[in-house]
Amino acid sequence: MSVIVPTLQALGHNVIALPTVLLSNHPGHLHVTGQSIEPSFLMRMVDALEANGWLGEIDTVLSGYLPSAAHVEFVAATVARVRLVQAGCRYLCDPVLGDDPKGLYIDNDAADGIRRQLLPLADIILPNRFELDWLAGIPVRSSAEALSAARSLGVRNVIATSIPSAAGSLLTIAIDANRATTCEVARRSHVPNGTGDLLSALIAGGWQLGRAVAAIEALLTASTGFDELKLATCNRTWMTAPALPEAVVTYGQPKASPCQ
């Protein structure tokens, strides 16, 4: 959230943030303390937004870290409430449930709830390699396996990150029913925290894949030697980075990119 909100605001979007957890710092650090926010309290916040007549102004919902099955249920209910008054609202689900090499780091019931309750609602999901593997129950060790796993989920658009390539680099792959679009970047020995949140924010903000990945690469270079992305101090760097090339594989009738 600490990356998502300022990124979307820098892109000119109004943001309503409902945090599921308050943390002293990113949990990737050695020491961290925090507290989850009760779903009942979050629902009262949505009640207030509805009472003010603001739910109909929401065009995109983006969910991220959900520490419990009750938080998953809160997101599902909120998406349904928003769509009752704004039928065209997009829902982007970043299924923050684990990564390599840690594995699953949220409660199994919460992770299963994301798969059962949120994926069917989502217009776009943004899993990393581990998350795509876990959600699909299919090994993901290559772009071909990522494609098979993504298409098995039944979600309209999947944007998968950290997919190994045959050349030893990493791919970010946007997959819809008709084509896969890939961007390739070199592996880095150390990556600051927050890149997944940044990609989610850029896609939610309407950026195409090549431009979003280029922004992340530019910010990673500017943040060399730090444990966090230097988002605020280097905003001109990442906002103006030229788009990276995209490779497209079409396997159905062509249609617009999921990132357009």
Side-chain angles (χ1 to χ4, degrees):
M1 188 69 73
S2 61
V3 170
I4 291 172
V5 172
T7 299
L8 286 169
Q9 289 173 333
L11 299 181
H13 298 281
N14 294 321
V15 181
I16 299 171
L18 303 180
T20 58
V21 62
L22 294 179
L23 298 173
S24 59
N25 49 265
H26 194 285
H29 294 288
L30 182 61
H31 303 289
V32 61
T33 189
Q35 178 177 320
S36 65
I37 307 302
E38 287 296 320
S40 59
F41 178 77
L42 294 170
M43 190 60 78
R44 291 199 299 274
M45 295 176 74
V46 176
D47 291 341
L49 296 174
E50 184 175 41
N52 287 326
W54 294 337
L55 294 189
E57 299 176 10
I58 297 173
D59 58 24
T60 300
V61 173
L62 168 61
S63 69
Y65 178 69
L66 303 173
S68 74
H71 285 91
V72 174
E73 292 171 1
F74 159 73
V75 170
T78 299
V79 170
R81 287 177 69 175
V82 173
R83 284 177 169 168
L84 279 176
V85 293
Q86 176 59 278
C89 176
R90 296 185 308 158
Y91 170 45
L92 281 67
C93 175
D94 182 359
V96 182
L97 53 87
D99 64 13
D100 295 313
K102 297 177 183 177
L104 194 68
Y105 53 57
I106 65 171
D107 182 87
N108 271 286
D109 288 341
D112 187 56
I114 290 171
R115 177 165 53 193
R116 290 185 299 100
Q117 298 180 62
L118 299 188
L119 296 196
L121 299 175
D123 296 291
I124 303 174
I125 65 168
L126 299 108
N128 61 33
R129 189 219 65 81
F130 171 84
E131 291 160 347
L132 179 58
D133 183 311
W134 193 91
L135 290 169
I138 298 173
V140 176
R141 298 158 296 194
S142 66
S143 58
E145 290 180 343
L147 176 60
S148 296
R151 298 187 75 186
S152 75
L153 295 176
V155 180
R156 187 179 308 165
N157 300 297
V158 178
I159 301 177
T161 62
S162 300
I163 305 301
S165 77
S169 55
L170 292 177
L171 300 172
T172 299
I173 310 177
I175 301 160
D176 67 15
N178 300 304
R179 67 180 184 178
T181 303
T182 66
C183 277
E184 186 172 2
V185 298
R187 288 181 180 267
R188 294 175 181 261
S189 57
H190 175 75
V191 176
N193 298 311
T195 56
D197 289 343
L198 178 56
L199 178 65
S200 296
L202 294 172
I203 297 300
W207 281 27
Q208 295 182 1
L209 186 68
R211 190 179 178 197
V213 175
I216 295 170
E217 283 294 294
L219 190 52
L220 285 174
T221 298
S223 305
T224 301
F226 295 91
D227 290 328
E228 302 289 343
L229 296 171
K230 309 301 287 183
L231 184 74
T233 56
C234 299
N235 61 347
R236 182 170 297 181
T237 299
W238 64 264
M239 291 184 73
T240 61
L244 289 175
E246 299 178 356
V248 179
V249 176
T250 301
Y251 41 82
Q253 293 300 316
K255 69 175 185 178
S257 165
C259 303
Q260 290 181 337

